Amino acid sequence: MQKILIIGATSAIAEATARRYASRGARLYLVARNAQRLQDMQADLLVRGAKSVQTSILDVNDIASHEGMLQNAWALFGNIDVALIAHGTLPDQEACTQSVTTAGHEFSTNAGSTIALLIPIANRMQAARRGTIAVISSVAGDRGRASNYLYGASKAAVSTFLSGLRQSLFKDGVGVLTIKPGFVDTPMTQGFKKGALWATPNAVAKGIVRAIDRNKSVVYLPWFWQGIMLVIRTIPEFLFRRIRL
Amino acid sequence: MSKAGQSWGRYPHTTQQILAVADRHRSLQTNNAPCLPYGNGRSYGDSCLNDGGVLLHTRTLDRFIAFDPATGIVRCEAGVLFAEILDISVPQGWFLPVTPGTRYVTVGGAIANDVHGKNHHRAGTIGHYVEELELLRTDGQRLRCSDKQNADWFAATVGGLGLTGLITWATLQLRRIKGPWLIVENHRLHNLADFFSLSAESDRDYEYTVAWVDCAAKGTKLGRGLLSRANHAPACPDKQPHKPSRRLRVPIAPPMSLVNPLSLRVFNSFYYHRQRKNIVHTVSHYEPFFYPLDAIGDWNRLYGPRGFLQYQCVVPLDTANETILELLRIISCHGEGSFLAVLKQFGARPSIGLLSFARPGVTLALDFPHRGKSTFNLLDQLDRVVTAAQGAVYPAKDAHMSGQSFRQYFPRWDVFRTFIDPGFSSSFWRRVME
């Protein structure tokens, strides 16, 4: 029976992923800010077949409280098979350009807090010589674009950190998965007009679980984003700077 | 599934603002425009539409709250699909007490239309199995409703077309089963008289009965079809686990309806002659038995960009033979007939809702490609027969009946009206109140 830790558990993609693990009879440890939503999710996942569901209230930007939460999770489960880090915000690029404070805060939420969580989780898994760390990064981290480069930069930091972590943990048998979703129809993207490129949280969750099961390193979800991002990455800078994306 | 803000018949075309309801603990945000809850968009006509207003999308309210495998009582948010309930309940020996012909309806939508199924003659409608529900009104009030508590609100909300407020969660009593299999018998019907004799006999010994009628047939063949009757099977340990067949999907709406007099005649005839023997016995998994059309995703697109109109009526039993014959004759003459006409005898159990459709009698359901005026003329003609016979037409499938017909079919509309949330309305309601 798998033991799963999910940070940012009430995000739409994380919830859909949690349901897939619940239907396998997994044990889940859910971490998020909102107590009521955690409670609702707990009840739901138990009905959907989870063996047990524990919850923990945490603001990821409160880095001092990370260690207590992790100690609790490992004490309860003994070890963790999958740690999924799914929290994040989609900052308003304009607001980040106006205020250094906002930019810094958003960068810590999306990159700083994630890296702060990754270090102690990686150390525990390394000591146990087992487990998979999966982190929701973004296609936005593949290249900075005018519309959201603060978000892109924070996701790039996460992706690059994960790439190094993967190399470093390989010999210990710990898997590190970088998840790069494209456009996903979630509350985070409520204000956007949806088109053919948009995916559901459920479809992305399916891809996440499959990538974890197959011990993948990097996964674009849905798959076609790998091609799109390949094109975007190869556009030479003298051209790229002239286009709006 | 269906496109945001569209009904399953893809007619009429309306525009409305979409607001997702993701948190059942929060009050409703209405933007000061009339609201209507919208589940999975499986109502056929305009009862799930709200032109110029707001649709409160409830598929985001999709959490289970509790399920007790010992008692079969499930409590969940209103946006949970019947399919999701089956996924968790069938392996634990529980089945839906009542199910319509698709499992892609939400719990809230099923209650708001007080849906029925092939077991109506025994079980009644879904409203009979709602232990309790919570109704959230635009003024922030929350009412817990059951047949004991706020019973008047309960009777208004069951079958209330979503107009009394938002159902946030509901508790359902499921039905015990030994496994996912059914023992099925398919009988050939040579004409309508066959249906009436066999249906009455079958209702005594079979939990599920339904008939499909070839409505392209004429003359003495009028009313020929297949009657299928079934009971839940005892455990079948030797049966292979059911492998869901690869789900087909209609990828796009063709520029014109693929359902036309020629394809109808061919399909209906094929369907009838597919079974050569008079009686065929099979053991069937519940999915193909209850939900044959769910195997083809977006099948409603086959009717092309103009969509289609469903028509389901119920007529009193004592004159049913003549009335159904007359309806079939009109349809057959009109030549626009439907893929498969469904016939079913309803039982005597009175429905709970003020606007519930199911009542004692015989029900006939058909769909017609939307061809504009000629289709509406046909529906008017059918309506006249149903009105004269003191029958009724099902709002969940309707996009055309007149206000006058509606008020005759649902005489308690006047009482119902006092329970409508002042912030709620629908295209259907405005149409029949004109």
Side-chain angles (χ1 to χ4, degrees), chain B residues 145-349:
Chain B
C145 309
S146 66
D147 56 359
K148 293 169 199 76
Q149 193 182 0
N150 292 312
D152 49 347
W153 285 96
F154 188 60
T157 302
V158 171
L161 303 172
L163 293 165
T164 60
L166 179 78
I167 301 171
T168 54
W169 56 259
T171 309
L172 298 176
Q173 172 67 63
L174 304 182
R175 180 211 184 282
R176 254 272 175 240
I177 49 166
K178 296 240 165 54
W181 306 98
L182 291 120
I183 298 174
V184 186
E185 263 183 51
N186 290 315
H187 289 251
R188 244 171 122 146
L189 304 170
H190 300 285
N191 51 47
L192 199 59
D194 271 7
F195 165 76
F196 281 97
S197 56
L198 196 61
S199 176
E201 176 211 305
S202 305
D203 284 358
R204 280 194 298 275
D205 303 323
Y206 294 85
E207 189 170 343
Y208 302 101
T209 64
V210 70
W212 286 275
V213 172
D214 172 3
C215 57
K218 287 190 172 146
T220 51
K221 289 182 190 156
L222 193 66
R224 73 174 183 182
L226 295 173
L227 182 133
S228 141
R229 56 191 199 183
N231 282 316
H232 285 286
C236 297
D238 51 326
K239 281 293 262 189
Q240 295 290 313
H242 173 69
K243 265 221 188 106
S245 52
R246 208 191 148 94
R247 203 163 172 262
L248 299 171
R249 174 167 291 278
V250 182
I252 49 156
M256 53 159 58
S257 173
L258 297 181
V259 183
N260 56 49
L262 179 69
S263 67
L264 279 174
R265 193 162 292 279
V266 171
F267 177 85
N268 273 305
S269 193
F270 173 76
Y271 199 85
Y272 176 70
H273 289 291
R274 194 180 54 158
Q275 174 170 333
R276 303 217 75 101
K277 286 191 244 166
N278 274 328
I279 307 175
V280 170
H281 298 262
T282 56
V283 175
S284 169
H285 188 266
Y286 75 85
E287 280 180 13
F289 178 76
F290 287 107
Y291 313 115
L293 282 172
D294 283 353
I296 308 163
D298 294 318
W299 62 262
N300 56 342
R301 286 177 173 160
L302 289 176
Y303 285 90
R306 297 184 76 178
F308 69 105
L309 289 120
Q310 262 265 340
Y311 190 80
Q312 183 173 354
C313 60
V314 56
V315 297
L317 191 57
D318 47 356
T319 51
N321 202 340
E322 302 86 84
T323 318
I324 299 286
L325 255 178
E326 177 155 14
L327 292 171
L328 289 179
R329 211 174 283 137
I330 294 171
I331 293 156
S332 164
C333 286
H334 207 269
E336 300 217 348
S338 130
F339 253 133
L340 285 169
V342 176
L343 261 183
K344 154 99 199 139
Q345 192 165 324
F346 279 154
R349 192 170 182 186

Side-chain angles (χ1 to χ4, degrees), chain A residues 184-207:
Chain A
V184 188
D185 188 357
T186 69
M188 191 172 95
T189 55
Q190 208 170 18
F192 290 75
K193 202 170 164 358
K194 313 289 192 293
L197 292 179
W198 288 75
T200 63
N202 199 19
V204 172
K206 190 176 174 186

Side-chain angles (χ1 to χ4, degrees), chain B residues 94-158:
Chain B
W94 294 96
F95 200 73
L96 293 164
V98 164
T99 176
T102 168
R103 61 193 187 281
Y104 300 121
V105 296
T106 62
V107 167
I111 296 171
N113 292 289
D114 197 13
V115 297
H116 57 268
K118 299 177 180 33
N119 61 351
H120 183 274
H121 59 285
R122 291 267 182 96
T125 60
I126 195 73
H128 292 119
Y129 303 90
V130 179
E131 301 269 299
E132 197 179 12
L133 59 83
E134 183 187 69
L135 190 65
L136 174 59
R137 308 263 294 173
T138 49
D139 62 6
Q141 201 186 2
R142 283 170 196 271
L143 296 166
R144 285 178 88 132
C145 309
S146 66
D147 56 359
K148 293 169 199 76
Q149 193 182 0
N150 292 312
D152 49 347
W153 285 96
F154 188 60
T157 302
V158 171

